Amino acid sequence: MPSPFEIARRALTLATHRIRSLPIVVLMPHSRCNCRCVMCDVWKANRERRELGRGDLAPHLEALRRLRTRWVVLSGGEALMHSNLWTLCELLKDDLGAKVTLLSTGLLLRRHAADVARWTDETIVSLDGPREVHDAVRGVPRAYDKLADGVAALREVAPRYRVSGRSVVQRRNFRDLAGTLDAAREIGLDRISFLAADVSTEAFGRAVPWDGERAAGVAPDLDEARELAEGIERLVAERAADFAAGFVAESPEKMRRIARYYLALNGGGDFPPPRCNAPWVSAVIEADGAVRPCFFHPVLGNVRERGLAEILNSPAAVAFRRGLDVARDPVCRKCVCSLRLPPASDLPI
């Protein structure tokens, strides 16, 4: 639990729209990826290698301390493709004292297992379904087997190290939700979470938002969304023990929101109302130094040009937060991975 002083700082941030507390930072250390996923375009820019070095991050360490950053999530691209990720992690772990979570495709876990266990607190791997489904979605031969082998390597090095899974529910795997749970157990994951695929923004490596044809290749159509809703109800009923034990990270209601999102995309109802305060409690720093309030909103500045605190509390950034109505903003209404951190909690809900 945060201290009363920290709770007050977070409340002041929400009241004034000036960042006085930044509990969570999402850091993209490296721009390239070793998968070719159907729901993501990051890999299409693999020839443009960009990464954040220790020298890029070190000047902002004092700002992160002042802003009481407690949790850093290494996203990507694939962070394990970084030329020396561990120099960044040393700053984050030893100098900042933050919890470090690694998001990974899992393909390089075997090679880096010892360093992953040493320099990070947990890993969340991408899992798209049973073996054949996962390999098809990832676009990489034997992706499932490499992922499983990487998780096994982590267990060999650090048996109690936490490894979770994240599955993007989309057109190629929505009929395999139960199979995804079985695959997570087969691989040896501690738990699995689910979210919908973003098909409407410039996030995840898109130069421009997808057109209707490309989005339709990922998002279920109306009939499929209805089928997904029925499948989620079966999953909730048949795997009640997995929900109760927390093996499925989402509550049944959060799982139902995935179906509601796809129904709304197809004109079959309203989008689930967003419950998010990400722009007030977190920031995203991309591999080229760009800073965003979340994955989906425009760039506020660049840490290679200005200080992080200066960027976050620039007049434009403060005006953005003051004018952002999450319930009505067209980007927020279609958000697939909203984050809500209550002032008195260290854990998003």
Side-chain angles (χ1 to χ4, degrees):
M1 292 289 291
S3 68
F5 179 64
E6 175 61 15
I7 292 172
R9 289 170 62 93
R10 294 184 191 179
L12 194 58
T13 292
L14 293 173
T16 64
H17 306 289
R18 291 187 59 83
I19 300 295
R20 290 172 169 84
S21 174
L22 190 72
I24 302 171
V25 169
V26 179
L27 190 66
M28 298 179 175
H30 190 83
S31 64
R32 295 191 299 168
C33 188
N34 51 8
C35 283
R36 301 170 65 87
C37 300
V38 297
M39 63 282 190
C40 175
D41 283 352
V42 168
W43 56 271
K44 292 186 176 181
N46 273 355
R47 286 175 293 183
E48 304 172 15
R49 173 176 171 170
R50 301 184 302 275
E51 64 178 35
L52 292 170
R54 184 185 177 100
D56 295 313
L57 187 60
H60 307 284
L61 209 60
E62 183 55 36
L64 293 172
R65 288 194 193 98
R66 291 199 309 269
L67 294 172
R68 307 298 199 277
T69 299
R70 303 169 65 93
W71 185 12
V72 177
V73 180
L74 303 178
S75 185
E78 170 54 60
L80 292 179
M81 295 176 71
H82 192 280
S83 59
N84 197 343
L85 182 65
W86 319 119
T87 60
L88 293 181
C89 291
E90 182 181 23
L91 281 177
L92 300 171
K93 292 284 290 179
D94 291 353
D95 296 351
L96 183 61
K99 170 186 175 181
V100 178
T101 295
L102 170 67
L103 306 186
S104 177
T105 65
L107 301 185
L108 296 175
L109 282 179
R110 165 66 69 175
R111 183 185 308 173
H112 297 288
D115 284 320
V116 169
R118 178 183 179 188
W119 292 112
T120 70
D121 295 280
E122 66 173 346
T123 292
I124 301 174
V125 297
S126 298
L127 178 63
D128 297 300
R131 179 178 282 101
E132 294 77 11
V133 175
H134 180 81
D135 289 356
V137 171
R138 293 275 126 185
V140 176
R142 300 187 64 250
Y144 182 92
D145 292 333
K146 293 175 183 176
L147 167 59
D149 183 57
V151 173
L154 273 177
R155 299 296 191 205
E156 292 165 8
V157 172
R160 302 180 69 177
Y161 181 87
R162 184 177 179 86
V163 189
S164 303
R166 178 171 294 166
S167 184
V168 177
V169 179
Q170 37 95 6
R171 195 167 199 177
R172 298 194 185 196
N173 67 3
F174 77 91
R175 295 185 178 93
D176 292 287
L177 298 180
T180 303
L181 291 189
D182 293 337
R185 288 204 181 279
E186 179 181 73
I187 290 174
L189 303 182
D190 292 302
R191 70 173 188 170
I192 181 78
S193 65
F194 295 89
L195 74 161
D198 171 63
V199 297
S200 57
T201 74
E202 295 181 11
F204 309 111
R206 298 165 196 152
V208 295
W210 283 346
D211 59 25
E213 182 179 356
R214 180 69 196 280
V218 173
D221 63 24
L222 182 58
D223 288 339
E224 290 169 334
R226 289 167 177 159
E227 185 182 348
L228 170 60
E230 295 171 357
I232 289 173
E233 293 305 322
R234 284 195 304 274
L235 190 77
V236 168
E238 295 172 2
R239 300 298 182 96
D242 286 328
F243 283 91
F247 185 70
V248 179
E250 282 72 33
S251 66
E253 183 53 37
K254 278 195 171 183
M255 289 295 296
R256 293 178 180 116
R257 288 172 66 91
I258 297 174
R260 287 180 62 190
Y261 164 79
Y262 284 126
L263 286 166
L265 277 180
N266 289 283
D270 296 327
F271 286 98
R275 300 175 68 239
C276 179
N277 59 3
W280 292 268
V281 300
S282 68
V284 175
I285 305 176
E286 298 181 342
D288 62 356
V291 178
R292 296 180 186 267
C294 72
F295 285 107
F296 307 104
H297 282 290
V299 171
L300 301 173
N302 194 296
V303 294
R304 287 174 170 157
E305 301 169 358
R306 289 192 292 165
L308 179 61
E310 181 186 356
I311 292 169
L312 294 174
N313 286 320
S314 68
V318 173
F320 165 78
R321 288 188 292 271
R322 182 175 288 119
L324 181 60
D325 184 343
V326 171
R328 297 182 180 179
D329 183 84
V331 172
C332 295
R333 287 183 64 244
K334 294 183 179 181
C335 183
V336 299
C337 60
S338 58
L339 178 153
R340 179 170 174 264
L341 183 69
S345 175
D346 281 335
L347 297 174
I349 62 173

